[in-house]
Structure formats: C-alpha cells, structure tokens
Amino acid sequence: MVRVARQSAAALGILWGLVTLAPVFQLVPLQNLLADRYLMLPLGGVALTLAAVLPANRVTGWISGLVLLLLSISSIQVSGIWQSSEALWKTAADRYPSHLRSTVAWAGAVHERDPTAARAIYEGALRDHPNSPLLHNAYGTTLLALGLEEPALAAWQHALSLDPTHKKALHNRMVQLTRVGRPAEALALGQTLTNLYPTYIDGWDGLATTYIALDDGSRALVAAERALALAPHRAASWCNLGSAHFLGSDFDSARAAWQRCAHLDPENPYPQRGLQALEERAN
C-alpha cells in the first residue's frame, strides 16, 4: 500500500513538473522573457517526486532541510524584483538587453506613472536598436500620451517602413489619422490591416470608424458587422453599427444599436449623443 502511494506521488510530481514547465518550453507562447520565475511551480513537482523516491532517513532529512534553506535565501534575494512590474521588467531589460520586449514592458510600466521617463527609456533603446519596429511603435504610443501627435504619427510610420505588416503600428496610425481629420490617409492602413489580420477586432472597429468619418455608411456597416461577428458583446462595435445605420438613414436600426451600446457601456457618451441626435431629428 505504501509502495503504491509512493509511486502515485512520484507520477503526480512528474506530471505536475511537465505541465508547469509548459511556458518555459513555449508550449504556451506567453512571450515572457524573464521566464525563470516559471521554474517556481515545477519545483513543487520535483520536490514531490524526490520525496516519493528517496528513502526516508536522517541523511535525506538533512539534505532536504539544506535545500529548503538555500531556496529560502534565494527567494528573499529576488523578492525585490517581484515587488512591481516596473522592477521586474527593468531587471529583465538589464539582464537581456537584446530582448526588446523586456524593454518595451519596462517602459510601459514606467509610462503608467511618468510618460516623460518612459520616453527617455525608448529613446535610449532606439539609439542602440534604431531598426526595431517594436520600439518605434511603443515609442509612438508614449509620444501621443505626451500630446505630441505628429511625432507619434512619424514614429508609427517609421515602424511601418521597417515592417509594413506591423499590426499595432497599422492600427495606431490608422486610428490617429482618423482622429485628427485625415481619414482618407487612414483608409489604406485600415484596409491593409483587416486584409492581413481578418480576426483582429480592433482593426475592424478602426476601419468602421474611418468609414464613418468618410460618411461611407454602407462600408462602415460591413466593417462594424465583421467586428460584431468576432465579439458580439463589444460596446464600441455596436456604437459604430449605430453610426453606420444613421448614415444610411436606417434610424430604427441606429437607435437599437446605440441602445445596445449604452447598455453594454453606460459610461460611454457616444451612444447618448447618437440617441439625442435621433430625438432632435424626430422633433
């Protein structure tokens, strides 16, 4: 009975270790470069397996105690790294300077409290890696947060010159061009984006918004419906659908879509404005 229990424990430990090592093996592509922390959970499986296969005696007990002490000291030493996303990703960026996702994650964490400091991080990284579309795209996002619209657009354009298929840069530049009243320029970006990434919901929503800015209700309707087919409960897509119907003079459908948007996102002011426009039209 004891032997069966030990064999079961050993098998469970091996299975636990394999399952929790999946991120390290990239069986689950988490894109996380400081992946050494994923070894913490597999250690539980290792410990369980060793406990099941090693003989229970005084020597084993001393060895186990020593290993536990060493692991405890190591945990205390790295605890400061895990105290915040900023500290974590700064450590990763310093440790792996060629892995730019760590730099972007660090700057993104800094951006939340100080976009100006994040800008300095990006500019330092770009001096060393001027041909990284990943960096240029993220840099543009921080520039926009600082109110620097044209430099942000230039950063996204630079990213696209390096990688014309960069999903985020296509989306960011399309959305911003539409916002600043240049939807004709945004249109080609949106069409490219949705052709390359037909399941990217933000791409369809952005394209619908661009068509709305161009007063093209029929094409806006198609784009909004594509977005809703991917995410039926997305408030922004219902809002776009309402605007598309309004442009097409289908006011009952516009009202229904805006009401749905308001139900899904009560804090969103846009459906209320649309419903108010319908009331003003009726009067």
Side-chain angles (χ1 to χ4, degrees), residues 51-215:
V53 301
L54 292 177
N57 55 43
R58 181 173 297 180
V59 174
T60 304
W62 278 107
I63 293 174
S64 300
L66 179 60
V67 170
L68 180 61
L69 177 62
L70 292 174
L71 289 174
S72 299
I73 294 172
S74 177
S75 297
I76 293 171
Q77 289 177 336
V78 301
S79 61
I81 297 175
W82 308 110
Q83 65 184 356
S84 69
S85 294
E86 187 175 328
L88 165 65
W89 290 115
K90 184 180 186 305
T91 301
D94 290 342
R95 189 178 299 178
Y96 310 115
S98 63
H99 294 279
L100 299 181
R101 289 188 182 276
S102 294
T103 301
V104 170
W106 171 35
V110 172
H111 176 109
E112 295 180 6
R113 64 170 179 82
D114 188 350
T116 301
R119 178 185 181 181
I121 294 171
Y122 285 126
E123 290 175 350
L126 283 167
R127 282 193 290 271
D128 295 329
H129 306 278
N131 297 320
S132 168
L134 177 70
L135 284 175
H136 283 287
N137 175 67
Y139 180 48
T141 302
T142 290
L143 291 175
L144 184 62
L146 292 169
L148 303 173
E149 294 181 348
E150 287 302 322
L153 287 169
W156 293 322
Q157 182 57 44
H158 198 156
L160 291 172
S161 70
L162 296 166
D163 178 6
T165 68
H166 196 285
K167 181 167 66 174
K168 291 292 187 180
L170 283 166
H171 176 262
N172 290 337
R173 185 168 167 81
M174 170 188 62
V175 169
Q176 186 57 24
L177 284 171
T178 301
R179 284 176 179 166
V180 298
R182 295 158 62 183
E185 297 177 58
L187 182 57
L189 296 171
Q191 291 170 334
T192 299
L193 178 61
T194 51
N195 286 334
L196 289 171
Y197 308 100
T199 60
Y200 184 45
I201 303 170
D202 287 344
W204 289 109
D205 273 334
L207 182 58
T209 302
T210 300
Y211 278 130
I212 290 166
L214 291 167
D215 293 326

Side-chain angles (χ1 to χ4, degrees), residues 206-241:
L207 182 58
T209 302
T210 300
Y211 278 130
I212 290 166
L214 291 167
D215 293 326
D216 191 338
S218 60
R219 288 187 173 86
L221 183 63
V222 172
E225 288 175 340
R226 289 292 299 270
L228 285 168
L230 294 168
H233 302 293
R234 188 178 173 95
S237 303
W238 282 102
C239 191
N240 286 335
L241 186 69

